[in-house]
C-alpha cells in the first residue's frame, strides 16, 4: 500500500522524462532499492504497451462484440471455405466461428465442422506451422477422437481447420441427462482415457481437456474434439507466462488448467492427466474443485497452484449458489441435486466416493506432475481396479508429497523427509534421461530437457535453501546439490551456448563448494573439494560473454565467486592468492558502486570486500592495516543498517565486524578496548539469535561470541569471567553438535570450547580440566584424519597438543600431588609439546605456516626447559 | 414528468446536499433505467451505427431527471453514479457471457477460446478488469472513479475533470497511471 503510492509518485514523474533523464532520475530516486525500481520500470513498460488499452469505452466494446456478425465478411450459407460448402454457422465468438459444412465433391455427403480463426496478425506463421503439425494431428485415428481432416486459409487469409462433425452432448450434461450411476460414469470416462492414451502414444498432448471438448453421441460413444489444436494454434503456449486475458485460455473458465499450465511452463502428458482428473471430479461430484472468488489471472493461478481441492466424498455435502462465480444466474448445487442424477441418495453417493475414488481423483490432480499417475493408462487401470474391487495404486498423499509444508511442520525429521522425496524424484529423472537418450522425438526431448532443468533448479534453490539453516540438514543438502549438479552438468554439455544454463551450473558448483567446506555455513569439511568447486564455478563465469541482459547480476555473482575462492585459499593460508582473489572482487564491486551509488546490494558487497581484505591483513599479522579496512567496512554498513534496522544480514555483518575489530585491537595491545568491543558484538549476536531461534547459524555465532569474549578476558587474566563465558559457549555448541553430528564445523567448535574451558580449569588447579582437554584433543585428531593435508586442521592439532602439554604441566606443578603422579604429568607435558613441535616443523617445511606462528615451535622448545628443570628437582 | 423522474431529481439534490442515504436510493433507480437502455441497444441490430456510452447515459439522464430543477453539480453527480452503474451492467453482461461460453446449450461445437490467438488489445476481459479495479479502489479511490467515468461512462478527459472537479492535466496524469497499473495487474 505504502509501496503503491511511492511507485505511483515515481511513475508520474518518470513518465514525463525520456531515455537518459528517466534512467538517472529513477536510479537516484530509488536509492538502490531494486524492488522499487523494478516495480516502477514494470509499470512504465506496461504504460507503453497499454497505449490503447481501455481507451475505447467499455460500452462500445460490448457493442462491437454483439454486432460483429453483421459487419464482418463471414461465410454464409452456400459459400465455400476451401473445398467445403458451408451449410450453416454452428457457433461464433470473438475469435472466429465454427461452421457446419460439406465437402463439395463428396458423394457421401459427409458433414464436417470448420473452425475459422479470425484476427490472427501472424497468419503466415500459422500457415507454416499448419504444414508441419497438421500431419501429426491428421494421423490420429481413433474411434473416440474427432479426426482433423484438413486445414488451410480462407481467401481473406484466416486459417481454418476441418474436422469430423460430431453431434453430441458435453460429457457432464450427457451423464446428468441420462442419470448415469457412478459406475457407468467411470466406464464412460475410461473410454475417454483410452482415447487420450492413444494420442499420448502418438506424442500428441491435448492441452485443453474439459467437458465441452468431450462430447458423447446419442449411442453413448465419447468423441474427443480439438486434440493438440491448442498448441497448433498457439505455439507460444509452452514456455510463456499465462496471460489469461490475452493468452491461450482467453476468457474461458480456467478450471481445467494444470498448475504448470497456469504458470506458463512447458506441458507434458501429465497436464492432460490433471485435466482429466478435474473432469472426473466434476462428473462424480457435480462440483468444481476450485472456487475462484476473482477473475484476476494471478489470483486464479495462485488458487490452482496452491489450494488443495476438497475430497470428492465431502464436497458433495456442500450447498453452493452460483458455483461458477457468475452473477445474474441463480444456479444452486445441493446434495439432493447432485445425488439425484447419480446414486439417488446422498449417503450412497458419499460411500461410493469415499476411499478409492477420493484417492484416485486427487492423485490425478496433484500439483506436481511427477506425483500424478505416470500415464493415462495407469489412471484408467486404477479405475478398472476400483470397479473390480481390486486394490488401487492411488493412496492419500504421503508425507514426502508436500515437501515445503512438511519442512515447516516437522523440522527435526526434515533430513529424512528430503531424502525420501529425493529418491522419488530421482527415479523420475532417471526415467526422463533414458527417454532422452533414446532420442524419441525432438520436441519430447526438449520437453524433458526442460523438466530436468527445472527439477535440478528446484533441488538447488527451493529445497536446498529451505533446509539450509536447519540443523542436521548437511547430508541431505549434499545429496540434493550433488544430484542437481549431476543433471545440470549433463545438460550444460548438451547446450554449451546457453548462458543462463551456464550460470545455473556455476551457481550449482558454488553451492556444492559451500556444502563441501564453506567455513561460514555448516559444511562437510572437504576444503580441497570446496576450493575445486569454487574454481570450477569461477572458470564457467569467466568464460561467459560480458554483454548480457543480466549483466549486473552476473557481475555480482562473479565477485562473490572470487570471494569464495579467496576464502578457501585463506584457510589454506595462501595469503598472496587470497589477496589476489579478494582484490579481483574489490575491483568489480568498486566499479559497480561507482556506476550505481545507490544500489544497496552493491554497497553492501563492497563493504564485504573491505572486511575480507581486513581478514587477510589480520592473518598476515598486520592488525593496524586490518583495522583500517574494517573501519571502511563499518562506515559503509552502519548507514545501511540505519536505513533498514531489521535487516538481519546487516545486523549480523556488523556484529561480526565488531568481533574482528576486537581481535585486532587485542593484537595491537588494547585489551580493554577489545573486551568492550567484543561485548558489544555479543549483545548484537544474541539479539539476532533471539529473533531467529530456528536459525542454527545465528545460534552458532552467539556461542562463537561467548568463546571470543572468554578468550579476551582470559588474555586479560580475568580467569573467572573467562571460564563463565567459555562454559556458556561450550553448552551451546554441544547442543548444536547434537542436532548435526556430522558437521565438522560444529565438531571443531566443541573441541575449541572443551579446550578453553579445560585449560582454564587446569590453571585453577582443577584436575577435571585434564579430562575436558582430552576431549578436545580427541576431536581435533579426528578432524585431522579427514583432512590430513589441510593447514588449518594441522594447526589445530599442533595448538591442541601444545596446550594439552601445558595442561599437564599446570597440574604437575601442584605440590599437594604425589611426586610420582607429578612426574608422570611432566612426562606427558613433554610428550605432547614435542608432538606439537613436530607438527609445527612439518608445517614450516610444507610452507603452510602462518606468519604469526613463525616462532611458535621455538617458543615451545624454549618452554620445555622449565619442565626439565622441575622434573630434575622432583627426582632429587 | 413521471414520478420516477421527480424522485430521482430530488434524491440527486439531496445527495448533493450531503444526504448519504439518498445515494443508496438513487442507485437502483439509475441502474434500472440504464440497464433497460443498454439492453435495448446491445440487442438491437444496428448496422453501421455506434452508440456511445455517454449518449446512453445522456439519454437516461434526460429521461429520469427533471432538467429544470438540477444544477450543474447534480449533473456531475449523476454522471458519477451512472458510470458506476454502467460498470456493473457491462461487467454483469460479460460475466453472463462467460457462462454462456462454458455451458453447452445449443452450441455443440463451441468456438473454444483456448484456440484463440493472442487477442487484440481492444478486447478487454471486463470481468478481470472489474476485479483488478476493486483492488485499485481499495488503495486509491480516485483512480477507480476516473476509470469508471472514462472507461465505463465513456467520458472524455475534460468531462471527467469536470465531474471530479479536477484539472484536465491531473485527470490525464492519473489516467495514464491507472491504465498502466490495471494493465499490469491483469497481465500479471
Amino acid at each position: 500500500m505504502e509501496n503503491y503510492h511511492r511507485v505511483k509518485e515515481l511513475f508520474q514523474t518518470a513518465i514525463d522524462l525520456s531515455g537518459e533523464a528517466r534512467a538517472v532520475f529513477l536510479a537516484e530516486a530509488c536509492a538502490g532499492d531494486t524492488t522499487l525500481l523494478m516495480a516502477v520500470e514494470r509499470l512504465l513498460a506496461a504504460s507503453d504497451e497499454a497505449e490503447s488499452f481501455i481507451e475505447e469505452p467499455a460500452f462500445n466494446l460490448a457493442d462491437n462484440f454483439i454486432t460483429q456478425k453483421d459487419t464482418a465478411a463471414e461465410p454464409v450459407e452456400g459459400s465455400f471455405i476451401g473445398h467445403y460448402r458451408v451449410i450453416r454457422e454452428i457457433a461464433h465468438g470473438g475469435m472466429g466461428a465454427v461452421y457446419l459444412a460439406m465437402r463439395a465433391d463428396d458423394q457421401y455427403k459427409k458433414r464436417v465442422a470448420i473452425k475459422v480463426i479470425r484476427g490472427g496478425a501472424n497468419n503466415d506463421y500459422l500457415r507454416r506451422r499448419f504444414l508441419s503439425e497438421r500431419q501429426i494431428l491428421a494421423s490420429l485415428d481413433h474411434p473416440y477422437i474427432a479426426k482433423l481432416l484438413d486445414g488451410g486459409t480462407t481467401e481473406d487469409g484466416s486459417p481454418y481447420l476441418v474436422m469430423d462433425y460430431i453431434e453430441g452432448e458435453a460429457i457432464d450434461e450427457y451423464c446428468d441427462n441420462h442419470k448415469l450411476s457412478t459406475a457407468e460414469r467411470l466406464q464412460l470416462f475410461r473410454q475417454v482415457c483410452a482415447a487420450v492414451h492413444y494420442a499420448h502414444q502418438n506424442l500428441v498432448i491435448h492441452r485443453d481437456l474439459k467437458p465441452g471438448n468431450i462430447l458423447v453421441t446419442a449411442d453413448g460413444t465419447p468423441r474427443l474434439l480439438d486434440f493438440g489444436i491448442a498448441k497448433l494454434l498457439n505455439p507460444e503456449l509452452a514456455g510463456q507466462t499465462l496471460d489469461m486475458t490475452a493468452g491461450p485460455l482467453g476468457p474461458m473458465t480456467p478450471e481445467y488448467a494444470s498448475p504448470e499450465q497456469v504458470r506458463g511452463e512447458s506441458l507434458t502428458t501429465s497436464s492432460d492427466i490433471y485435466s482429466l482428473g478435474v473432469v472426473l471430479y466434476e462428473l462424480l461430484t457435480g462440483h468444481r474443485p476450485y472456487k475462484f472468488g476473482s477473475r484476476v489471472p494471478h489470483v486464479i493461478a495462485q488458487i490452482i497452484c496452491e489450494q488443495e481441492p476438497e475430497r470428492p466424498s465431502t464436497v458433495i455435502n456442500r450447498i453452493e449458489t452460483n458455483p461458477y462465480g457468475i452473477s445474474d444466474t441463480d444456479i444452486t448445487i445441493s446434495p439432493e441435486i447432485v445425488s439425484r442424477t447419480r446414486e439417488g441418495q446422498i449417503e450412497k453417493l458419499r460411500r461410493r466416493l469415499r476411499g478409492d475414488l477420493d484417492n484416485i481423483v486427487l492423485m490425478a490432480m496433484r500439483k506436481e506432475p511427477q506425483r500424478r499417475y505416470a500415464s493415462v493408462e495407469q489412471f484408467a487401470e486404477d479405475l478398472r481396479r476400483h470397479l473390480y474391487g481390486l486394490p488401487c495404486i492411488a493412496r492419500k498423499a504421503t508425507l514426502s508429497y508436500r515437501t515445503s509444508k512438511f519442512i515447516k511442520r516437522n523440522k527435526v525429521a526434515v533430513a529424512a523427509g528430503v531424502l525420501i522425496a529425493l529418491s522419488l524424484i530421482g527415479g523420475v529423472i532417471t526415467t526422463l534421461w533414458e527417454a532422452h537418450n533414446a532420442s524419441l522425438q525432438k520436441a519430447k526431448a526438449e520437453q524433458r530437457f526442460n523438466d530436468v532443468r527445472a527439477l535440478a533448479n528446484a533441488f538447488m534453490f527451493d529445497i536446498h535453501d529451505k533446509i539450509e539453516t536447519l540443523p542436521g540438514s548437511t547430508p541431505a543438502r549434499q545429496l540434493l546439490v550433488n544430484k542437481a549438479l549431476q543433471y545440470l552438468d549433463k545438460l550444460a554439455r548438451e547446450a554449451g551456448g546457453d548462458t543462463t544454463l551456464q550460470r545455473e551450473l556455476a551457481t550449482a558448483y558454488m553451492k556444492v563448494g559451500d556444502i563441501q567446506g564453506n567455513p561460514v555455513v555448516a559444511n562437510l569439511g572437504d576444503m580441497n573439494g570446496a576450493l575445486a568447486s569454487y574454481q570450477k564455478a569461477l572458470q564457467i563465469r569467466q568464460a561467459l560473454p560480458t554483454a548480457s541482459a543480466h549483466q549486473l547480476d552476473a557481475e555480482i555473482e562473479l565477485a562473490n565467486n572470487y570471494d569464495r575462492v579467496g576464502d578457501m585459499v585463506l584457510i589454506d593460508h595462501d595469503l598472496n592468492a587470497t589477496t589476489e582473489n579478494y582484490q579481483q572482487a574489490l575491483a568489480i564491486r568498486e566499479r559497480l558502486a561507482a556506476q550505481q551509488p545507490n544500489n544497496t546490494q552493491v554497497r553492501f558487497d563492497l563493504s564485504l570486500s573491505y572486511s575480507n581484505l581486513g581478514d587477510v591483513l589480520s592473518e598476515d599479522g598486520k592488525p593496524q592495516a586490518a583495522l583500517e579496512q574494517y573501519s571502511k567496512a563499518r562506515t559503509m554498513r552502519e548507514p545501511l543498517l540505519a536505513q533498514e534496522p531489521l535487516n538481519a544480514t546487516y545486523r549480523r555483518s556488523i556484529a561480526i565486524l565488531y568481533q574482528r575489530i576486537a581481535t585486532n585491537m587485542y593484537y595491537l595491545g588494547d585489551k580493554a578496548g577489545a573486551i568492550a568491543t567484543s561485548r558489544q558484538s555479543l549483545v548484537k549476536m544474541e539479539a539476532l539469535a533471539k529473533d531467529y531461534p530456528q536459525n542454527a547459524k545465528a545460534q552458532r555465532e552467539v556461542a562463537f561470541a561467548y568463546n571470543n569474549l572468554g578468550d579476551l578476558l582470559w588474555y586479560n587474566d580475568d580467569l573467572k569471567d573467562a571460564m563463565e563465558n567459555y562454559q556458556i559457549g561450550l553448552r551451546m555448541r554441544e547442543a548444536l553438535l547434537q542436532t548435526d553430528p556430522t558437521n565438522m564445523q560444529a565438531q571443531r567448535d566443541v573441541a575449541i570450547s572443551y579446550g578453553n574451558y579445560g585449560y582454564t580449569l587446569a590453571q585453577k588447579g582443577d584436575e577435571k580440566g585434564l579430562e575436558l582437554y582430552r576431549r578436545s584433543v580427541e576431536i581435533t585428531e579426528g578432524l585431522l584424519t579427514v583432512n590430513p593435508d589441510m593447514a588449518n586442521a594441522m594447526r589445530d592439532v599442533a595448538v591442541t597438543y601444545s596446550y594439552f602439554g601445558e595442561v599437564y604441566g599446570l597440574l604437575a606443578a601442584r605440590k599437594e600431588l604425589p611426586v610420582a603422579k607429578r612426574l608422570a604429568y611432566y612426562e606427558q607435558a613433554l610428550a605432547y609439546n614435542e608432538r606439537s613441535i613436530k607438527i609445527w616443523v612439518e608445517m614450516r617445511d610444507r610452507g603452510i605456516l602462518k606468519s604469526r606462528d613463525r616462532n611458535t615451535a621455538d617458543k615451545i622448545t624454549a618452554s620445555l626447559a622449565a619442565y626439565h628443570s622441575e622434573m630434575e628437582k622432583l627426582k632429587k | 414528468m413521471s414520478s420516477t423522474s421527480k424522485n430521482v431529481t430530488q434524491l440527486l439534490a439531496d445527495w448533493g446536499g450531503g444526504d448519504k442515504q439518498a445515494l443508496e436510493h438513487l442507485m437502483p433507480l439509475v441502474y434500472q433505467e440504464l440497464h433497460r437502455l443498454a439492453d435495448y441497444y446491445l440487442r438491437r441490430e444496428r448496422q453501421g451505427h455506434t452508440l456511445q456510452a455517454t449518449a446512453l447515459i445522456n439519454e437516461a439522464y434526460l429521461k429520469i431527471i427533471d432538467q429544470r430543477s438540477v444544477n450543474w453539480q447534480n449533473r456531475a453527480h449523476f454522471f458519477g453514479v451512472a458510470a458506476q452503474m454502467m460498470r456493473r451492467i457491462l461487467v454483469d453482461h460479460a460475466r453472463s457471457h462467460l457462462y454462456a461460453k462454458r455451458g453447452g446449450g445449443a452450441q455443440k461445437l463451441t468456438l473454444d477460446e483456448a484456440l484463440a490467438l493472442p487477442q487484440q488489445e481492444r478486447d478487454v476481459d471486463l470481468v478481470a478488469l472489474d476485479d483488478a479495479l476493486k483492488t485499485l479502489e481499495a488503495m486509491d479511490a480516485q483512480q477507480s472513479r476516473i476509470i469508471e467515468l472514462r472507461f465505463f461512462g465513456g467520458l472524455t478527459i475534460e468531462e471527467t475533470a469536470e465531474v471530479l472537479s479536477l484539472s484536465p492535466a491531473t485527470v490525464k496524469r492519473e489516467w495514464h497511471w491507472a491504465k498502466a497499473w490495471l494493465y499490469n495487474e491483469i497481465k500479471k
Side-chain angles (χ1 to χ4, degrees):
Chain A
M1 177 94 180
E2 207 171 287
N3 187 39
Y4 167 86
H5 291 290
R6 181 86 184 114
V7 173
K8 181 179 170 187
E9 189 190 326
L10 295 179
F11 171 93
Q12 291 188 329
T13 310
I15 195 90
D16 295 330
L17 304 170
S18 57
E20 189 102 328
R22 184 186 277 189
V24 170
F25 165 76
L26 286 177
E28 269 175 28
C30 294
D33 183 344
T34 43
T35 320
L36 180 66
L37 180 67
M38 277 166 60
V40 179
E41 283 182 337
R42 192 167 56 236
L43 282 154
L44 287 168
S47 180
D48 289 342
E49 284 177 50
E51 205 186 326
S52 63
F53 173 67
I54 64 175
E55 284 287 350
E56 184 87 8
F59 186 82
N60 300 0
L61 295 180
D63 176 47
N64 283 342
F65 185 84
I66 297 294
T67 55
Q68 180 190 43
K69 196 178 141 200
D70 306 318
T71 50
E74 304 264 331
V76 290
E77 191 182 320
S79 70
F80 282 84
I81 301 173
H83 299 295
Y84 302 88
R85 189 164 53 81
V86 173
I87 298 171
R88 64 182 159 87
E89 184 186 284
I90 305 168
H92 76 269
M95 297 313 295
V98 184
Y99 300 95
L100 177 62
M102 196 160 56
R103 199 175 161 91
D105 53 4
D106 187 353
Q107 48 183 316
Y108 302 107
K109 303 209 185 295
K110 185 180 176 181
R111 297 199 292 176
V112 296
I114 301 182
K115 292 198 171 193
V116 181
I117 314 301
R118 297 269 176 229
N122 46 0
N123 283 341
D124 269 354
Y125 181 61
L126 263 182
R127 238 190 322 271
R128 266 181 281 128
R129 187 121 193 135
F130 267 174
L131 290 176
S132 63
E133 297 259 353
R134 210 174 62 198
Q135 222 44 45
I136 301 172
L137 295 179
S139 71
L140 284 185
D141 192 5
H142 190 277
Y144 301 154
I145 295 176
K147 204 164 158 52
L148 177 68
L149 304 168
D150 199 357
T153 44
T154 61
E155 278 169 21
D156 62 356
S158 302
Y160 66 86
L161 295 166
V162 182
M163 57 205 86
D164 282 341
Y165 173 68
I166 310 296
E167 259 177 308
E169 290 167 280
I171 188 166
D172 53 343
E173 287 160 13
Y174 176 89
C175 287
D176 285 352
N177 291 343
H178 292 77
K179 290 191 166 55
L180 295 193
S181 69
T182 300
E184 287 165 332
R185 284 168 195 247
L186 291 176
Q187 291 292 9
L188 180 63
F189 184 80
R190 287 191 66 239
Q191 290 181 296
V192 174
C193 287
V196 177
H197 182 61
Y198 165 83
H200 285 180
Q201 283 179 314
N202 285 278
L203 305 176
V204 177
I205 304 170
H206 192 292
R207 287 158 198 270
D208 190 32
L209 285 165
K210 57 185 177 183
N213 273 337
I214 307 169
L215 300 186
V216 183
T217 57
D219 65 351
T221 312
R223 298 293 293 271
L224 274 67
L225 311 181
D226 296 352
F227 242 107
I229 286 178
K231 188 193 177 197
L232 181 65
L233 292 188
N234 200 342
E236 289 83 10
L237 207 67
Q240 268 194 7
T241 312
L242 177 70
D243 174 347
M244 266 183 255
T245 56
L249 293 181
M252 78 160 204
T253 315
E255 299 274 357
Y256 306 92
S258 61
E260 60 270 27
Q261 210 160 359
V262 299
R263 278 196 299 262
E265 293 164 4
S266 42
L267 302 186
T268 63
T269 52
S270 197
S271 302
D272 279 352
I273 294 175
Y274 178 93
S275 302
L276 282 174
V278 181
V279 171
L280 183 59
Y281 190 106
E282 206 175 338
L283 288 183
L284 294 181
T285 68
H287 290 259
R288 292 195 177 169
Y290 308 110
K291 319 283 169 276
F292 304 129
S294 159
R295 298 282 316 168
V296 177
H298 72 267
V299 174
I300 292 174
Q302 195 180 355
I303 290 172
I304 292 174
C305 294
E306 289 171 14
Q307 191 178 301
E308 294 295 336
E310 189 173 353
R311 282 203 304 271
S313 63
T314 59
V315 78
I316 53 168
N317 297 329
R318 283 182 180 272
I319 296 176
E320 285 184 67
T321 312
N322 295 336
Y324 309 130
I326 293 142
S327 60
D328 268 12
T329 53
D330 51 354
I331 297 174
T332 299
I333 303 180
S334 67
E336 292 68 38
I337 291 171
V338 164
S339 50
R340 197 181 304 147
T341 51
R342 288 174 177 80
E343 298 295 307
Q345 291 157 319
I346 188 69
E347 189 45 46
K348 213 171 149 194
L349 179 60
R350 194 177 300 138
R351 276 201 308 273
R352 193 74 187 73
L353 298 179
R354 198 160 44 205
D356 276 356
L357 288 175
D358 277 344
N359 294 339
I360 290 173
V361 171
L362 294 181
M363 177 153 171
M365 287 177 62
R366 281 181 181 166
K367 305 291 180 204
E368 307 87 337
Q370 65 272 17
R371 298 280 298 145
R372 295 176 202 143
Y373 285 104
S375 66
V376 179
E377 193 181 30
Q378 197 186 43
F379 185 7
E381 169 63 12
D382 229 15
L383 290 172
R384 190 190 68 85
R385 296 181 72 85
H386 165 76
L387 286 168
Y388 284 85
L390 299 168
C392 297
I393 300 170
R395 289 277 173 275
K396 278 186 198 131
T398 55
L399 210 55
S400 55
Y401 169 44
R402 286 136 86 190
T403 316
S404 58
K405 282 175 191 156
F406 170 59
I407 287 169
K408 273 186 209 133
R409 272 203 317 269
N410 197 341
K411 298 197 172 181
V412 181
V414 70
V418 171
L419 292 179
I420 294 165
L422 256 181
S423 60
L424 289 169
I425 302 169
V428 176
I429 294 189
T430 315
T431 323
L432 290 176
W433 266 102
E434 280 162 4
H436 183 231
N437 292 337
S439 64
L440 273 171
Q441 270 264 331
K442 189 170 161 281
K444 216 171 180 184
E446 270 171 21
Q447 179 68 58
R448 295 185 165 173
F449 183 90
N450 289 331
D451 285 348
V452 174
R453 179 175 177 175
L455 211 49
N457 280 317
F459 278 12
M460 197 108 53
F461 299 104
D462 303 345
I463 306 178
H464 173 273
D465 290 358
K466 267 192 189 121
I467 65 171
E468 188 189 359
T469 52
L470 298 178
S473 62
T474 312
R477 282 166 58 217
Q478 184 185 31
L479 189 53
L480 269 176
V481 175
N482 278 348
K483 281 265 183 224
L485 189 62
Q486 231 171 296
Y487 302 128
L488 281 178
D489 224 355
K490 266 189 197 168
L491 297 180
R493 254 179 275 139
E494 302 236 332
D498 184 339
T499 52
T500 315
L501 193 56
Q502 294 291 335
R503 273 179 63 199
E504 281 168 16
L505 187 64
T507 306
Y509 274 115
M510 290 258 280
K511 295 220 173 188
V512 174
D514 287 348
I515 289 160
Q516 286 169 315
N518 182 346
V520 302
V521 299
N523 70 83
L524 298 158
D526 178 5
M527 304 297 164
N528 287 333
L531 179 59
S533 298
Y534 290 148
Q535 280 170 335
K536 196 152 184 190
L538 191 57
Q539 280 166 9
I540 295 169
R541 291 193 205 284
Q542 283 165 337
L544 288 177
T546 45
S548 100
H550 306 286
Q551 195 52 29
L552 179 63
D553 288 346
E555 297 241 49
I556 288 173
E557 285 168 11
L558 179 61
N560 290 343
N561 205 150
Y562 274 118
D563 269 358
R564 300 283 174 86
V565 174
D567 293 344
M568 296 318 293
V569 286
L570 178 61
I571 293 170
D572 252 338
H573 210 68
D574 183 346
L575 298 187
N576 288 335
T578 307
T579 310
E580 202 177 292
N581 280 289
Y582 283 167
Q583 292 282 10
Q584 291 275 11
L586 176 68
I588 294 169
R589 287 165 179 166
E590 278 183 331
R591 184 160 38 78
L592 293 179
Q595 284 165 7
Q596 307 206 12
N598 293 319
N599 185 321
T600 48
Q601 169 84 54
V602 168
R603 277 160 71 198
F604 181 70
D605 283 359
L606 182 58
S607 85
L608 284 180
S609 272
Y610 291 135
S611 65
N612 282 340
L613 287 166
D615 292 349
V616 198
L617 291 163
S618 173
E619 282 287 299
D620 206 10
K622 295 170 183 162
Q624 185 66 55
L627 281 173
E628 277 164 28
Q629 295 294 329
Y630 289 143
S631 165
K632 275 192 194 173
R634 190 171 145 186
T635 318
M636 299 210 70
R637 277 176 207 176
E638 280 174 346
L640 288 171
L641 180 65
Q643 262 175 27
E644 290 177 56
L646 295 178
N647 185 313
T649 306
Y650 298 159
R651 288 170 70 191
R652 175 173 173 267
S653 75
I654 288 173
I656 291 172
L657 199 56
Y658 273 57
Q659 287 286 338
R660 299 192 171 156
I661 291 171
T663 309
N664 282 275
M665 283 169 97
Y666 170 76
Y667 288 156
L668 275 180
D670 180 3
K671 288 183 187 177
I675 289 169
T677 309
S678 178
R679 281 193 203 280
Q680 286 181 25
S681 173
L682 176 60
V683 170
K684 292 177 198 295
M685 296 268 191
E686 278 198 306
L688 196 55
K690 207 177 146 209
D691 290 348
Y692 297 90
Q694 296 301 323
N695 188 315
K697 194 151 103 182
Q699 310 306 317
R700 175 180 177 248
E701 283 167 359
V702 175
F704 184 85
Y706 271 109
N707 188 66
N708 257 19
L709 179 58
D711 278 352
L712 292 172
L713 290 163
W714 185 85
Y715 284 123
N716 206 26
D717 292 327
D718 189 350
L719 295 192
K720 192 172 154 285
D721 282 354
M723 215 149 63
E724 222 167 77
N725 284 291
Y726 286 146
Q727 207 179 349
I728 300 171
L730 173 62
R731 226 180 289 138
M732 295 184 75
R733 286 173 166 180
E734 276 192 311
L736 282 169
L737 179 60
Q738 237 164 22
T739 61
D740 197 2
T742 57
N743 182 341
M744 300 207 187
Q745 194 72 59
Q747 290 180 43
R748 182 170 184 269
D749 288 348
V750 169
I752 289 169
S753 278
Y754 272 124
N756 290 339
Y757 189 36
Y759 189 94
T760 317
L761 277 173
Q763 272 181 304
K764 302 198 101 186
D766 191 335
E767 288 214 37
K768 270 189 291 183
L770 197 62
E771 283 324 298
L772 288 174
Y773 211 105
R774 196 186 304 283
R775 301 273 292 275
S776 176
V777 171
E778 285 163 2
I779 296 170
T780 312
E781 284 172 341
L783 288 172
L784 182 63
T785 57
V786 188
N787 272 312
D789 58 349
M790 286 303 295
N792 247 35
M794 279 178 88
R795 184 179 188 277
D796 282 349
V797 175
V799 170
T800 315
Y801 281 166
S802 76
Y803 280 130
F804 195 36
E806 283 185 31
V807 168
Y808 273 112
L810 286 167
L811 294 170
R814 295 180 65 200
K815 300 203 165 61
E816 64 271 30
L817 292 181
V819 173
K821 190 162 190 182
R822 290 182 66 194
L823 277 172
Y825 279 174
Y826 277 126
E827 291 289 346
Q828 289 293 329
L830 286 173
Y832 274 101
N833 273 303
E834 275 155 11
R835 281 169 152 182
S836 174
I837 292 165
K838 248 174 105 176
I839 297 171
W840 289 118
V841 171
E842 193 189 332
M843 284 169 72
R844 190 180 59 204
D845 292 348
R846 287 210 214 169
I848 54 173
L849 198 64
K850 298 188 186 190
S851 61
R852 70 165 180 272
D853 292 329
R854 262 190 303 255
N855 303 318
T856 308
D858 294 344
K859 277 188 206 156
I860 295 171
T861 310
S863 73
L864 299 185
Y867 295 142
H868 283 296
S869 72
E870 284 298 317
M871 287 171 79
E872 289 307 309
K873 270 191 240 167
L874 279 178
K875 279 176 187 166
K876 279 172 197 165
Chain B
M1 197 172 101
S2 70
S3 62
T4 308
S5 163
K6 193 171 182 178
N7 207 353
V8 169
T9 313
Q10 188 53 48
L11 284 169
L12 204 53
D14 290 351
W15 183 47
D19 179 359
K20 298 261 182 275
Q21 274 196 334
L23 181 62
E24 280 171 40
H25 297 292
L26 182 62
M27 289 211 290
L29 296 173
V30 177
Y31 181 85
Q32 223 174 18
E33 182 57 25
L34 280 174
H35 195 280
R36 200 185 60 73
L37 280 172
D39 222 39
Y40 172 73
Y41 282 110
L42 286 172
R43 284 182 202 288
R44 220 173 95 181
E45 304 257 338
R46 283 167 298 106
Q47 210 93 21
H49 173 86
T50 331
L51 181 82
Q52 295 292 337
T54 21
L56 189 83
I57 292 175
N58 268 320
E59 197 173 330
Y61 180 74
L62 292 173
K63 263 204 154 83
I64 57 176
I65 302 285
D66 176 4
Q67 300 306 306
R68 287 158 305 178
S69 54
V70 290
N71 57 20
W72 172 85
Q73 262 184 327
N74 291 143
R75 188 173 173 272
H77 285 316
F78 178 81
F79 266 86
V81 177
Q84 208 178 330
M85 295 302 108
M86 281 301 288
R87 171 179 168 190
R88 200 189 280 174
I89 291 164
L90 291 169
V91 170
D92 285 350
H93 177 75
R95 272 189 214 278
S96 60
H97 192 70
L98 273 180
Y99 178 68
K101 266 180 195 161
R102 192 262 149 218
Q107 303 182 336
K108 291 308 171 202
L109 261 171
T110 53
L111 186 82
D112 195 335
E113 293 304 322
L115 302 181
L117 292 160
Q119 290 182 36
Q120 306 298 304
E121 267 177 11
R122 50 181 286 117
D123 284 337
V124 177
D125 182 345
L126 288 184
V127 180
L129 184 87
D130 183 56
D131 287 334
L133 205 50
K134 280 177 193 150
T135 311
L136 184 61
E137 226 156 14
M139 295 189 294
D140 202 339
Q142 182 177 284
Q143 289 285 334
S144 106
R145 302 268 291 137
I146 291 174
I147 295 284
E148 258 172 19
L149 290 167
R150 292 274 288 120
F151 184 58
F152 290 104
L155 268 61
T156 62
I157 297 268
E158 287 70 24
E159 288 164 341
T160 307
E162 212 179 295
V163 170
L164 294 178
S165 303
L166 296 167
S167 75
T170 304
V171 171
K172 209 169 168 185
R173 263 160 62 85
E174 296 285 289
W175 170 245
H176 274 309
W177 162 255
K179 268 176 43 166
W181 191 90
L182 285 172
Y183 185 77
N184 182 57
E185 185 70 10
I186 292 171
K187 269 190 60 172
K188 215 161 32 183

